[in-house]
Amino acid sequence: MSQEVREQYQQYMENPLLWPILDALRKKPSGWKVHTLSSHLTDFGFMPVLDSSADKDLFKRNFLIMNALYQLQETLLPESWLQVQAMDIVLLTSQGSEHQIDQQDPLRDYYLNWQNYEAEEGEVKRLLNEFWSRYREFVGTKVDSNLDRTKALKLFELPEDAGAKEIRKTWRKLALRWHPDRENGDSERFRILCEAWNVLRV
C-alpha cells in the first residue's frame, strides 16, 4: 500500500476511544497504564473481547488504546500535552506548548498505521463503528433522522465541499471545546455534535 493510499485509508479512521479515554484522563490525569485504561474502558462497555485468542485479544486492545492515545496527543496540542508511554500515561494541561510530537518516533508510526492491527479494512471499520455506537449511547445521543450531511456541515460551520481531513479536524476541535468535562463544556451541544459527526464520518 502506497503512502498516499495509506493516508486516504486512515483519513476516516477516527478512533472513538479518544473520547472515553479523554474522559478518564480529565478526571484522573496521571497514574494510568495501558492495562489499567483497558480495564476502565471494559468496565464502561467500550472494550469487548476482540479475538478468541487471548494473546491476540491483548494485542488488539493495546493497539487500539495506543492508537487512540497518539491521535489524542496530536488533537490536544498546543493546549495540553499527553505523555504516551505504555506504563506511564499522563495528561499535562498547562504544558502543551513546551512539547512537540516526534514525527520520527517509530512507536508512534507503528500504532498509527491501521495495517498493523492485523485485520482487513472492512473489519477495522466495522469495529470502530461498533465502538462509536457504544460511545453515542454512553453520552445519551439519539439518532436524528432529519440530520443529513448538509445540516451536519452547517453545525460544523463548514462548506458543502469540505473534505474528510477538514471535517475530522473540525470535529475534534468542536468536541474538545464543548466536551462536558470542560469548565465551559455543554453536554447537550456535545451530543448534537456527536450526531453531526456520526453523519459526516461515513
Side-chain angles (χ1 to χ4, degrees):
M1 184 180 283
S2 71
Q3 178 67 20
E4 182 181 352
V5 173
R6 180 181 137 192
E7 285 175 1
Q8 289 175 353
Y9 172 66
Q10 293 174 1
Q11 263 189 353
Y12 51 79
M13 292 302 194
E14 168 86 3
N15 187 331
L17 292 180
L18 265 70
W19 308 107
I21 286 175
L22 182 59
D23 288 340
L25 291 170
R26 285 244 167 92
K27 289 169 183 164
K28 181 185 167 193
S30 62
W32 292 102
K33 299 173 174 58
V34 168
H35 71 273
T36 57
L37 259 181
S38 178
S39 295
H40 176 80
L41 294 169
T42 300
D43 290 345
F44 282 92
F46 292 117
M47 191 63 78
V49 174
L50 300 171
D51 202 290
S52 57
S53 161
D55 288 343
K56 284 187 177 180
D57 181 67
L58 180 61
F59 168 80
K60 289 179 176 181
R61 285 167 180 264
N62 287 347
F63 183 94
L64 287 169
I65 290 171
M66 291 296 286
N67 173 279
L69 287 168
Y70 279 116
Q71 285 195 40
L72 193 55
Q73 183 185 63
E74 187 173 336
T75 299
L76 291 171
L77 276 177
E79 181 183 292
S80 307
W81 174 250
L82 177 58
Q83 176 178 292
V84 181
Q85 295 176 8
M87 301 304 285
D88 190 18
I89 300 159
V90 182
L91 178 62
L92 304 168
T93 54
S94 61
Q95 300 178 26
S97 59
E98 299 174 14
H99 295 84
Q100 286 188 334
I101 291 171
D102 181 2
Q103 301 291 344
Q104 306 303 316
D105 179 359
L107 202 61
R108 178 179 181 274
D109 188 55
Y110 178 85
Y111 283 113
L112 288 178
N113 184 347
W114 283 106
Q115 289 179 290
N116 294 324
Y117 183 77
E118 298 183 288
E120 294 297 318
E121 178 181 355
E123 182 187 338
V124 174
K125 284 178 72 174
R126 179 191 58 74
L127 173 70
L128 296 183
N129 283 337
E130 287 178 8
F131 277 21
W132 180 248
S133 295
R134 288 190 189 98
Y135 187 65
R136 287 169 63 223
E137 288 173 13
F138 178 72
V139 298
T141 60
K142 296 179 177 66
V143 177
D144 181 357
S145 58
N146 294 319
L147 189 62
D148 58 15
R149 181 179 168 83
T150 300
K151 290 178 183 175
L153 284 169
K154 281 184 181 175
L155 284 169
F156 277 28
E157 298 182 0
L158 289 173
E160 283 282 345
D161 60 351
K165 189 173 182 181
E166 186 182 7
I167 290 170
R168 185 175 70 171
K169 185 177 178 181
T170 303
W171 151 244
R172 290 185 178 183
K173 181 177 154 188
L174 290 170
L176 281 175
R177 180 179 176 187
W178 298 110
H179 194 281
D181 281 348
R182 289 197 64 123
E183 187 177 340
N184 296 313
D186 185 322
S187 57
E188 184 56 32
R189 190 155 188 175
F190 182 73
R191 283 195 288 269
I192 292 168
L193 290 169
C194 281
E195 287 304 327
W197 168 248
N198 190 53
V199 169
L200 296 171
R201 69 189 179 88
V202 293

